Amino acid sequence: MTQPAPPVSPPPAPRQTLQSVLRRAHLRLAFVAVTMAAVSLIVVAVIALRAYSGNNLNLLARSLGYTVEAALVFGDRVAATQAIELIAKDEDVAEIVVTDSRGRPFAAWRSPAASEIARLERAVADLALPGPVTVRVLHDGIVVGYVEVRGQGHQFFGFLLGGVGGILGCVAVSVLGAYVSSKRVVRSIVAPLRALADVAHAVRRERAFDRRVEPAAIAELNQLGDDFNALLDEFEDWHNNLRNENASLEHKATHDALTGLPNRLQFEARLKRALGEAMVTEQRVAVLYLDCDRFKEINDCFGHDAGDAVLIAIAARLRTQLREVDLVARLGGDEFAVMLAPMRELASAARIAEDILSGMTLSITLADGRTVATMLSIGIALYPDHARDANGLLRAADAAMYRAKRARPGSWQFAEGVAGPA
C-alpha cells in the first residue's frame, strides 16, 4: 500500500521592502490628511451655504409678497403670474406658489426641468437645502395671501461640483507632493540602510572584510554605520589573524622547519600530480635523491649547530642551481630530493646532477668562521624508464644514491632496470 505524498508547503510570500512600506505609509498619511481637511471645509461650506440659501429664499419670498400684494387685493391673477414670472426667471428658484388668504391657489410658476442635470439639481436641493419658505402677504395689517418659494439648487450643485473637483485637485497635488517628499525621506533613510545591507552581503558572501559603510546624514543611521564599521574592523583583524595562522600551519605542515624547503609530504603529493600530468602528455619526470656525505662526522666534530648550518647552506645552494619549475625538498636528516618535470632526455638529468655536485665543491663557512667541506651523493630515477609511480621512483633513486655512495662519495648514478608495464 503506497503512502500518500507529504503535503507541499506553499512558498513564502515575498516580503515587502522598507522603501515600499515607508512610501506607502507616507502617501496614505498625506491622502487621509488632505481628504479630511477638504471634507471638513466642504461640510462647513455646505452648512454656511444652507443658511445663506434659507435667508435668500426668505428675502425673495418677502419681495414677491410685496410684488403680488396689489394683485391679491384686486384679484388680478394674470398680474400676479406675470409679476412672479418676471422675478423668478432671474433667481435660483424651482417653484413659486401664491395662495389667497384661504389657502386657495392664486398664481404659480415652475421652472422647467427638461434636462437630467436639472432634475439632479432639484434632487440634490431637496436633500441638502432647507425646505420651501412661506411668508404671509399683508395689506393694512390683514393677511391677504401667502407666497411659497422652493429653491432650484443650481448654485448649490455648482458649488458641490466645484468642491468635489477641488478635493480631487488637492488630493492629486498632495499625492504628487507626498511622492516627491517620500522619495527624499526614503532616500535619506533607505539608502544608508541599503548600503549597510550591501556591505553585509559582500562580507558574508565574498568575505570582503575591507568594505565599509559610508557616513549617513541621519544621526542614528550614522551611529549604526559607525558601529557596524567598528564590528567589521574586529572581524577583519580576526579574519587576517585566522588566515595568517592557517597559512602558518599549512606552511609548517608542508615545509621543513630548518631549511624552509618543502617536506616529504608535499614532495610526494606534487610528484604524484606531476606523474599524472606526464602520463597524459607522455613526458618524462626525473627524481634526484641526494644524501650528504660525512654529515655524521660534521655533527660529531663541530656540533649539531654546525650540522644545521650545513643543511641550510646545502638547501640554499640547491635553490640557486635549479629552475623555478623544479622542486627541491628535504626528506629528513641529511637527505634531499629534487623533481625535474618535464625532462626530455636522460642526459639533461645527468647534467643537472653534475651541476649540483659542482656547486658543493666550495667549503661552507660556519658562524664562528670555521669552514666545512661536504659532498653529496646523488641517485637518479626517471618516469617511465625506471618506475611508473611516486613510491617506485623514490625507491629507485634511493637505491641508485646508495650505489653511488658505495662506488665513490660525491658522485651520481642512474637507477638500474626498466619499469614493467603499468
Side-chain angles (χ1 to χ4, degrees):
M1 181 177 181
T2 59
Q3 296 181 352
V8 179
S9 59
R15 298 182 181 273
Q16 296 181 351
T17 62
L18 179 62
Q19 178 178 356
S20 63
V21 172
L22 289 177
R23 182 169 295 174
R24 193 158 38 246
H26 199 272
L27 293 177
R28 188 184 299 115
L29 178 62
F31 177 80
V32 171
V34 172
T35 302
M36 292 182 63
V39 170
S40 300
L41 289 175
I42 289 181
V43 169
V44 172
V46 167
I47 294 175
L49 185 60
R50 179 184 175 88
Y52 170 78
S53 299
N55 293 332
N56 189 41
L57 289 178
N58 190 50
L59 291 175
L60 181 61
R62 292 181 181 275
S63 177
L64 289 172
Y66 296 140
T67 303
V68 299
E69 178 184 354
L72 284 171
V73 172
F74 294 103
D76 190 349
R77 298 175 181 270
V78 176
T81 301
Q82 292 176 350
I84 62 176
E85 183 178 354
L86 182 62
I87 296 175
K89 65 180 181 179
D90 296 328
E91 300 292 338
D92 185 25
V93 294
E95 183 181 20
I96 300 174
V97 177
V98 180
T99 57
D100 58 15
S101 59
R102 297 182 180 180
R104 292 174 299 183
F106 185 78
W109 178 88
R110 289 179 176 83
S111 174
S115 64
E116 291 295 331
I117 296 179
R119 295 191 182 93
L120 180 61
E121 290 176 352
R122 289 189 181 182
V124 172
D126 291 339
L127 293 175
L129 295 180
V133 175
T134 304
V135 298
R136 297 178 299 172
V137 180
L138 300 176
H139 180 69
D140 295 335
I142 300 173
V143 177
V144 296
Y146 300 91
V147 175
E148 181 181 297
V149 180
R150 185 184 301 273
Q152 171 70 22
H154 176 73
Q155 295 178 353
F156 179 80
F157 189 77
F159 172 79
L160 187 62
L161 290 180
V164 173
I167 289 179
L168 295 178
C170 291
V171 168
V173 173
S174 300
V175 167
L176 179 60
Y179 177 78
V180 174
S181 176
S182 66
K183 288 188 66 176
R184 295 181 179 178
V185 172
V186 167
R187 188 182 303 113
S188 60
I189 296 178
V190 175
L193 294 177
R194 183 175 294 166
L196 191 148
D198 292 339
V199 173
H201 287 314
V203 171
R204 184 175 68 88
R205 296 176 181 175
E206 305 170 9
R207 294 295 186 266
F209 289 100
D210 57 333
R211 296 280 299 272
R212 292 296 181 271
V213 180
E214 297 294 332
I218 300 178
E220 291 80 2
L221 296 180
N222 187 68
Q223 182 63 42
L224 177 62
D226 291 342
D227 293 340
F228 188 77
N229 288 337
L231 185 62
L232 286 181
D233 291 337
E234 297 181 7
F235 272 123
E236 186 176 14
D237 293 340
W238 170 81
H239 182 260
N240 291 336
N241 292 334
L242 182 62
R243 183 172 56 188
N244 294 335
E245 290 179 3
N246 290 338
S248 176
L249 291 175
E250 182 181 0
H251 187 273
K252 291 179 180 179
T254 58
H255 287 74
D256 176 54
L258 178 63
T259 63
L261 295 177
N263 58 15
R264 176 184 288 272
L265 179 65
Q266 183 178 175
F267 183 84
E268 292 179 350
R270 293 182 61 176
L271 178 58
K272 291 178 181 179
R273 187 160 58 246
L275 293 179
E277 296 174 356
M279 185 180 300
V280 176
T281 59
E282 297 182 354
Q283 293 179 333
R284 282 189 172 94
V285 176
V287 172
L288 280 62
Y289 206 104
L290 294 73
D291 184 81
C292 181
D293 299 322
R294 300 178 54 247
F295 185 71
K296 185 175 184 303
E297 297 179 11
I298 294 174
N299 272 335
D300 293 341
C301 296
F302 296 94
H304 290 285
D305 291 341
D308 291 343
V310 168
L311 293 176
I312 294 173
I314 291 174
R317 293 183 181 184
L318 289 175
R319 286 196 192 98
T320 61
Q321 291 172 327
L322 297 172
R323 302 171 299 178
E324 292 184 0
V325 296
D326 299 330
L327 175 65
V328 57
R330 183 189 178 196
L331 301 183
D334 60 342
E335 295 180 341
F336 296 85
V338 175
M339 181 182 70
L340 307 174
M343 180 59 55
R344 297 181 182 273
E345 301 174 353
L346 295 176
S348 297
R351 185 172 60 255
I352 292 175
E354 290 286 354
D355 293 339
I356 292 175
L357 294 179
S358 298
M360 294 296 165
T361 57
L362 295 177
S363 299
I364 299 174
T365 302
L366 301 179
D368 57 3
R370 294 178 294 175
T371 59
V372 176
T374 185
M375 296 181 296
L376 295 176
S377 296
I378 304 176
I380 306 173
L382 279 82
Y383 166 88
D385 303 81
H386 303 116
R388 293 182 179 273
D389 57 46
N391 292 331
L393 277 177
L394 284 173
R395 287 195 301 268
D398 187 19
M401 180 271 297
Y402 277 107
R403 284 192 294 104
K405 184 184 289 288
R406 286 193 298 269
R408 181 171 60 88
S411 64
W412 62 269
Q413 285 197 19
F414 276 113
E416 296 180 340
V418 179

